[in-house]
Each structure stands twice: as C-alpha cells, then as structure tokens.
C-alpha cells in the first residue's frame, strides 16, 4: 500500500521485520540472519535503504516516524511515514510522549499501526492491555457503526460522519488515541486482507495523523508458534517441520543462577520483591512469579518507571531487586542517579547480558554499565567471575543497605558449583587467583578465566578484582609494588571502565607504574558468535597474552623481568 523506501516505514523493536527483509531484496541472505557478517536480527540503516530507522530497543518507532513526517513537511516532500508498533511496546512511556506530540500536527501524512497480538516477549501487563481488550470486545459498537453506514443514503454523508463520531461516544468511551489528536480506526482483523487492504488504501487518502488498530495472532498459521509464542519470539535457524528443539544445557546459565537465588532469598526474607520491565523469561523470573506471585511485579516495557517504582518500595522498608538487562538500564539512567543513588536507597540491580551478547549484536550488548555505574556516588558495582561468585555477590548486594549492581553475562559460566547457602563477601576486597612474577593481570568478571589462561603462558600474577566500585585500592597498590607491569582486563568499554578505576587509584596514591588497559574497542561490535567476537577483540587467553608480549617486547612465552 505504500511506496517504500520513498514512504518511510519504521518497525518497532525488530523481529517482526523478517518478512520485510525477505520482501526487500534480502531473501537469499536470510540463512545468515544473526550470524557474523550476516543479516542483523533488527532493522539496520546501513543494511538496506528499506530499513529507514535502526530499532531494537522498543517503543521508539512513533518518535522516529514523526521526525520523518515533519522533515518531509519542512522539505516540501509528499510522502508518508508509518510506525508499526506492538501492544507490548505501547506500554512504554516513550510511545505516549510521542503520541502527545503527534496529535498537534494536523497536516502531516503519518500513520501509526498498532499490531495488537496480545503478546510481547512476556505477556503484556497493565491497564493498557485491559483497555485494548475492552476495545476489541466492543462488538456492539462495531456492528452499530456498520449498520449506520449501510442504511444511510449518500446524500446524508455528513450526517453519517457525525453519527459515527457520536456513536463512539454513546457506545464506548472516546479512545485515548483520539484524545491525543489521532483519527482512530479499529480494531480490525489484521489477518483479513479483504478488510485490511481497503482500510490502508482509505487511510492513505486522509490528511493528518491516523491510528489503525489491528488485531493479529502471534504465529498465525504455524501451530507450534501459536502454542508457544515466547519460544518463537525471535527464532534462529530451525526445522519448520520439527520446530525449535532447545539444546540441553550441561551448565547453569547466569540467568538461572539469579532465578534460583531470587527464590531462595525471597523464602528467607519477606521484604524482598522482584521487579522486571517485561522480561520475565529473559531475566529468569518465571519460577519466582510462580512461588511468590504477590511479590512479583512486571511493570511492562517501562524501565524508567521500574527503577523509580523500586525506589518508592525501598522508601517504605521493602528490599526490591530490579532484574534488568544491562542495555536496558541505559534507558533509566536519570532514575538510577536521581531517584535511587542520590537518596542512597536500598535497591539491588541484577544486570543480565553484561558484555557482548552474540547474535543480538550492538543494540543489546552491555558494554557500558561499568563506565556509567562507577561514576555514580553511593553505588556498589560487582562483576562475578563464575556462577558461585555470582550467587555470593547477589547476596552481598542485597544485604548492602544502599544501591548495588551485579553485572553478569549471557549464557553459561564455567560450571562452578553455586551451593545453597546465602553467603556474602566483604565489599571492596579482591582475590589472588595466581601468583606469578613481573606482570600482574587485574581481571574483572568474565575475564578472570581467559586471564588465567594467558598467565599460564607468561607466569603472570592474576587477581580477581571482584569489585569495580569500591575498588580494592590496597590490592592495586600491593601489586604495583611487586610487579613491573599492571594489566587490566574487562569485558566492557575501556574508556571510563574498570581499568580507568585502577589508573585513578594509582594516580591518587602517587604510584607510577606502567599500565596496560584491555577491553572492548571504541566501536559498536556487530552480531556473531560471542566467543569468536571476544577473540577478535583480543579478550581471549591468546589475545591477552599477545597484547602483554607486545607491550613488554617479549618473544618467548616466559617473560624475563627484574633481571630474574
């Protein structure tokens, strides 16, 4: 119905764009989806001119489409802008901020399509979901409107139009979308092309912002996806006849470690409440919801609200745990600073997907949390090196009477036994993992294992720093006094990260010692196999050892320093 890419279509989030990719010249490359050097799992501007806006964090489409519509007006171009947004994404405040702005521009060619399939990654929640359900159930209104159109003669067109508007007010409350200034049409069956196509044709002829509410079924026509829309939300390669066969995991994922800890801690203390911004499955909270439904809160795709909501709970003596992906905490940075840290409130942040995330790519990578967290006063920031450390740090952060963040990666760890105890560790104290000579590697979180691998080649010392804030400054000073070179390794950005914290500690103590800082490069790392990407970034054992040899000028596996 629209002449793309001249007309702009902005797809919210992105997994829904797989058919769009097929229809816009990328069918032969679909087998490369979400693989290194292959197609992105999300719209990407440098991949195709049909991808008008890069989207992966939800609820941005209406804002972007409005910007495009107003740009067309300023430039005198006659083209349409369309935002396609799901009912889950409509729970975010940003979508309503955009709608509030859209309605005041009466002369733009813009259409918002609400794809209402009653399903986001986690089931949609809140008043908006109930409101949409009421709209869909308004069959009497829909029937009355159709009858009115059929019985009124053409000469009474204006009266018919007024009748329709009054019918809305008589039979259902005016939709909130109309109150925002958009012309609301729907709900209609999104699978009924005989209805959908003429509706889109008619809407193209109308001036001003339009809002089309379509109802669809997730996985329509594929029984396996209809039965389990969560599993099939963003699938990779699979056999359609057999469906997705989840691989059996031999090791616990960090997400599972968190989920188990959350249930254990909730059983031990009734003050614990768990909060997720629409990521129940992804954050490992399914079991917690089942066991403690009265203490489980899914606030929808509303990260800002989730953090301030937690702050309010903490003010009243509760102990909230906010389970949130590292990349999504970026959306609540102001609330983190102003509403939690500034008031030194007791909120624990469980940051999943820290570091590189493989197939999801740059939009979902948690590369910046160490840098943006450690600069905030009152924050405690921890990075576990294995599953056991993760459980201990979650307990430590929860028992700390102030804001604390524990950042852990996607996927499984090294297979460490977590045990059942709820054991805390001393805040601000690192661990010596290997005693060597000449070079000391200060490793943070996931980098401890490859650092130990590199140290085996170089006979280097390895310290598991554990805490990014407060940093174990005493351990840093001790290592600086007994080694010729300090090397920091982190799965995060170098600028402002954990290595910078070590440099600041050395400077504050007046210690002059060569320092090599290793971490993720100053660029956005695209999708691919996570371990392969780490290797390309020089963050595997071979890369760490190679960087150290390059700095020291050593050619042999064993370094010679201090004339020893």
């Amino acid at each position: 119905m629209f002449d793309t890419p001249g007309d702009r279509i902005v797809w919210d989030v992105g997994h829904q764009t797989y058919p769009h990719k097929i229809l816009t010249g990328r069918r032969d490359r679909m087998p490369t989806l979400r693989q290194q050097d292959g197609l992105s799992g999300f719209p990407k501007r440098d991949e195709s001119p049909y991808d008008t806006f890069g989207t992966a964090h939800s609820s941005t489409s209406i804002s972007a489409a409005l910007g495009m519509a107003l740009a067309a007006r300023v430039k005198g171009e006659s083209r349409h802008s369309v935002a396609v947004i799901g009912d889950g994404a409509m729970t975010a405040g940003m979508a309503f901020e955009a709608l509030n702005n859209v309605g005041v521009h009466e002369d733009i060619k813009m259409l918002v399509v609400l794809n209402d399939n009653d399903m986001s990654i986690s089931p949609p929640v809140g008043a908006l979901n109930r409101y949409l359900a009421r709209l869909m159930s308004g069959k009497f209104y829909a029937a009355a409107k159709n009858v009115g159109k059929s019985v009124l003669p053409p000469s009474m067109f204006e009266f018919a139009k007024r009748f329709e508007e009054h019918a809305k007010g008589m039979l259902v409350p005016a939709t909130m979308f109309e109150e925002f200034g958009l012309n609301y049409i729907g709900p209609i069956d999104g699978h009924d092309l005989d209805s959908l196509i003429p509706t889109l044709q008619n809407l193209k002829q109308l001036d001003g912002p339009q809002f089309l509410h379509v109802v669809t079924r997730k996985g329509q026509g594929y029984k396996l996806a209809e039965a389990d829309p969560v599993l099939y939300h963003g699938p990779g390669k699979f056999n359609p006849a057999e469906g997705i066969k989840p691989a059996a995991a031999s090791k616990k994922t960090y997400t599972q470690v968190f989920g188990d800890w959350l249930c254990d801690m909730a059983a031990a203390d009734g003050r614990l409440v768990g909060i997720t911004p629409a990521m129940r499955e992804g954050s490992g909270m399914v079991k917690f919801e089942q066991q403690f439904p009265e203490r489980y809160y899914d606030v929808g795709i509303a990260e800002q609200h989730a953090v301030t909501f937690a702050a309010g709970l903490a003010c009243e003596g509760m102990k909230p745990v906010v389970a949130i992906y590292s990349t999504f905490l970026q959306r609540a940075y102001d609330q983190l600073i102003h509403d939690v840290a500034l008031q030194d409130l007791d909120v624990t942040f469980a940051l999943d997907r820290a570091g590189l995330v493989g197939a999801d790519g740059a939009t979902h990578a948690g590369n910046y949390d160490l840098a943006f967290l450690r600069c905030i006063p009152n924050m405690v920031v921890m990075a576990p090196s294995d599953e056991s450390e993760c459980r201990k740090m979650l307990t430590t952060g929860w028992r700390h009477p102030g804001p604390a963040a524990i950042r852990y990666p996607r996927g499984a760890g090294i297979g460490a036994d977590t045990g059942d105890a709820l054991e805390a560790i001393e805040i601000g104290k690192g661990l010596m993992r290997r005693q060597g000579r000449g070079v000391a590697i200060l490793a943070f979180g996931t980098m401890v294992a490859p650092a130990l691998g590199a140290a085996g080649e170089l006979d280097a010392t390895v310290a598991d720093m554990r805490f990014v804030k407060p940093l174990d400054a005493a351990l840093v000073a001790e290592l600086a006094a007994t080694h010729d070179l300090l090397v920091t390794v982190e799965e995060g950005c170098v600028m402002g990260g954990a290595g910078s914290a070590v440099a600041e500690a050395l400077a504050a103590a007046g210690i002059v010692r060569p320092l090599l800082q290793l971490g993720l490069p100053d660029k956005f790392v695209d999708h691919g196999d996570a371990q392969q990407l780490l290797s390309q970034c020089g963050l595997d054992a071979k890369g760490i050892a190679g960087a150290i040899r390059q700095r020291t000028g050593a050619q042999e596996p064993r370094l010679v320093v201090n004339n020893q």
Side-chain angles (χ1 to χ4, degrees), residues 172-258:
V172 296
T175 72
M176 69 173 117
F177 307 110
E178 289 174 315
E179 298 298 337
F180 275 117
L182 290 84
N183 179 39
Y184 174 88
I185 302 296
I188 67 172
D189 183 353
H191 299 297
D192 179 3
L193 297 186
D194 290 336
S195 173
L196 180 63
I197 291 174
T199 300
L200 287 170
Q201 289 173 330
N202 291 336
L203 288 173
K204 278 189 67 175
Q205 309 307 316
L206 301 178
D207 291 327
Q210 309 294 318
F211 192 101
L212 175 61
H213 181 180
V214 300
V215 179
T216 59
R217 178 176 176 81
K218 191 148 189 172
Q220 171 82 0
Y222 186 50
K223 297 300 182 184
L224 294 173
E226 290 180 5
D228 192 346
V230 173
L231 180 63
Y232 288 83
H233 172 75
K237 196 171 183 179
F238 68 96
N239 183 337
E242 298 178 357
I244 299 174
K245 304 293 184 183
S250 58
K251 302 174 183 176
K252 270 188 177 182
T253 65
Y254 281 93
T255 301
Q256 289 170 330
V257 171
F258 166 72

Side-chain angles (χ1 to χ4, degrees), residues 367-372 374-375 381 383 407 440-445 447 463 465-469 471-473 476 486-508 511 513-520 539:
N367 297 354
Y368 312 106
D369 50 59
L370 294 182
F372 73 64
R374 60 172 290 264
C375 64
V381 184
R407 59 106 66 175
I441 305 176
L442 289 69
F444 294 83
M447 291 293 99
M465 296 305 295
R466 283 180 153 181
F467 292 84
V468 179
K469 185 176 185 178
L471 186 72
D472 191 342
V476 172
L486 300 184
V487 181
T488 61
V489 192
E490 60 192 297
E491 191 177 345
C493 61
V494 172
M495 286 185 285
S500 295
V502 172
E504 292 161 13
L506 291 170
I511 300 173
R513 186 67 68 226
L515 176 65
L516 172 62
Q517 294 172 242
L518 303 179
L520 294 173
L539 293 180

